[in-house]
Amino acid sequence: MTTPVLEIQNLTKHFAVGTLAKPSYVHALEDVSFKVNRGEVVAIVGESGSGKSTTVRLIARLMEPTRGEIIFKGQSILKTEPKGATLDYRSKVQMIFQDPFGSLNPIHTIGHHLERPLLIHKKAKNKKELQEKVETLLTTVGLNPAAEFAGKYPHQLSGGQRQRVAIARALTVDPEVILADEPISMLDVSIRMGVLNLMDKLKVDRGISYIYITHDIASARYIGDRTMVMYAGHMVEGAESTDLMQNPAHPYTKLLLSAVPNPHAGLGKQTHVEIPDAAKRAEIPSLIDLPPGCPFASRCPAVMSLCHKTMPAVTTLSAQHWVRCHLHTADESLPLPPPNPPRVSL
Ligand code: SF4
């Protein structure tokens, strides 16, 4: 069995709010654990405030976790680099942000944006090699003619082209993992597919792994090998993407799937689970002083009294499919289902 390229163990982040006299904490992330294998796309899906962006920002070392472990190729990053990530980790684990315009400096050319990391990480020996590498990168991400694009400024590019530049910039340092935080949510629908296909091609050609953050479960199904669902700072379900979409087990996953447009609607084929409107309209509860039990209890159409008392444990449904929901736990305190009625022969 190969070592995962990235392993996250019990990652937790609490933000202090309130006053010194009356401190309180936002529980943004609670005991999140998962693995990413080489050349694998792990999609993390959830609403705003579910903790998915906090997860990748912690992995990128843009902030320090309250507790937990980040293990990169078998090495604990928090132990070996306690004061922030080194250049080596930063080059191997790169991030693409949601807003491609905001992540580029409007006063510098595209060529400058790509030259900077190449120079900082000593990836080019001279000016000629620098220029060649910039043009190769632009060609790799489909920006042709490369020399022309290198001389342009961010405002001269479309949203999709700017996101391709952001991907090219991540590639300058030969990353092994790319953290893609909603990389297509600000792009026109017509160009989203092109960016996802580019990410997929880089996965195949270079063995790059991705953590793909999205609130759109349909794009997670498209690009994710595995998909994990987050709610109120907790991972609530995970499975291979196809399995998750076809056999969702957690009521929240079913709620997300119910929001995906259904091309079979009205054609006599029912592919989605009916979710009450009240559950669809409700929002994530406050992450300050979350009540005990399941965080989805206030919206769940299947809530039971146990759900308000105890956080459900992880239940394994198959080799790759797990869920945290009392509907799937074999808890002895739950009442047994009624026995099957005796068969009656007519
Ligand atoms: Fe709903 Fe209870 Fe399952 Fe939470 S544990 S999702 S409240 S049934």
Side-chain angles (χ1 to χ4, degrees):
M1 200 156 139
T2 54
T3 313
V5 66
L6 195 64
E7 190 170 350
I8 306 305
Q9 292 177 351
N10 306 107
L11 204 60
T12 299
K13 180 67 182 176
H14 297 163
F15 293 101
V17 289
T19 60
L20 274 180
K22 201 178 169 203
S24 52
Y25 295 90
V26 175
H27 294 240
L29 208 63
E30 288 290 348
D31 283 327
V32 163
S33 301
F34 63 97
K35 294 176 184 174
V36 184
N37 296 313
R38 185 173 160 75
E40 183 184 37
V41 181
V42 174
I44 302 181
V45 187
E47 290 165 276
S48 299
S50 61
K52 49 197 195 315
S53 290
T54 304
T55 305
V56 288
R57 280 173 159 73
L58 288 169
I59 296 170
R61 305 298 312 280
L62 298 179
M63 57 174 91
E64 290 301 310
T66 305
R67 62 170 183 271
E69 276 287 3
I70 299 170
I71 298 169
F72 179 65
K73 297 206 288 189
Q75 289 248 320
S76 165
I77 291 302
L78 299 178
K79 286 198 182 105
T80 54
E81 302 174 11
K83 294 201 172 113
T86 58
L87 271 185
D88 186 46
Y89 179 72
R90 288 203 191 283
S91 68
K92 295 297 173 204
V93 180
Q94 284 282 303
M95 189 150 175
I96 305 170
F97 294 91
Q98 181 179 19
D99 178 4
F101 197 59
S103 66
L104 299 172
N105 189 331
I107 65 167
H108 289 303
T109 63
I110 301 307
H112 178 88
H113 282 91
L114 301 182
E115 286 169 9
R116 285 278 297 159
L118 288 169
L119 288 171
I120 290 170
H121 290 267
K122 301 184 174 49
K123 296 280 181 186
K125 294 190 203 77
N126 51 49
K127 205 156 178 192
K128 185 168 176 285
E129 194 179 327
L130 191 63
Q131 193 181 348
E132 280 170 8
K133 288 208 170 206
V134 166
E135 291 185 10
T136 306
L137 283 163
L138 288 169
T139 307
T140 303
V141 298
L143 293 177
N144 287 307
E148 197 177 300
F149 273 99
K152 290 190 177 190
Y153 288 85
H155 73 271
Q156 295 175 300
L157 272 54
S158 69
Q161 289 170 335
R162 285 196 284 263
Q163 199 56 291
R164 283 171 189 266
V165 172
I167 294 171
R169 184 170 55 181
L171 295 180
T172 52
V173 287
D174 301 322
E176 294 184 39
V177 180
I178 291 183
L179 311 170
D181 188 2
E182 306 245 20
I184 58 166
S185 62
M186 292 188 74
L187 306 182
D188 287 346
V189 175
S190 57
I191 50 178
R192 289 180 179 182
M193 197 66 89
V195 173
L196 289 181
N197 288 342
L198 170 62
M199 289 170 59
D200 191 56
K201 183 172 186 313
L202 294 171
K203 176 188 94 164
V204 174
D205 293 352
R206 300 186 177 213
I208 294 175
S209 311
Y210 294 89
I211 298 178
Y212 173 71
I213 300 296
T214 184
H215 59 265
D216 170 19
I217 202 164
S219 71
R221 171 171 51 190
Y222 184 75
I223 193 168
D225 297 304
R226 275 187 299 134
T227 296
M228 291 184 301
V229 180
M230 282 194 85
Y231 186 78
H234 296 79
M235 289 279 183
V236 296
E237 186 169 6
E240 286 180 351
S241 297
T242 317
D243 187 18
L244 189 90
M245 310 301 159
Q246 289 174 354
N247 306 299
H250 197 282
Y252 180 58
T253 312
K254 294 175 184 176
L255 173 69
L256 290 176
L257 281 167
S258 74
V260 177
N262 179 5
H264 300 300
L267 300 178
K269 256 190 177 177
Q270 186 63 44
T271 57
H272 292 298
V273 186
E274 284 307 315
I275 298 283
D277 282 348
K280 288 180 185 170
R281 281 197 299 271
E283 290 180 0
I284 288 184
S286 165
L287 298 180
I288 303 173
D289 304 326
L290 260 179
C294 172
F296 193 56
S298 60
R299 296 171 73 180
C300 182
V303 64
M304 304 170 278
S305 60
L306 176 68
C307 307
H308 292 293
K309 295 180 199 144
T310 318
M311 179 70 193
V314 171
T315 303
T316 304
L317 303 176
S318 65
Q320 294 281 344
H321 196 165
W322 58 268
V323 66
R324 287 185 86 164
C325 171
H326 286 308
L327 291 173
H328 301 273
T329 48
D331 192 319
E332 285 167 11
S333 64
L334 288 173
L336 289 171
N340 288 333
R343 280 176 176 272
V344 180
S345 305
L346 297 174

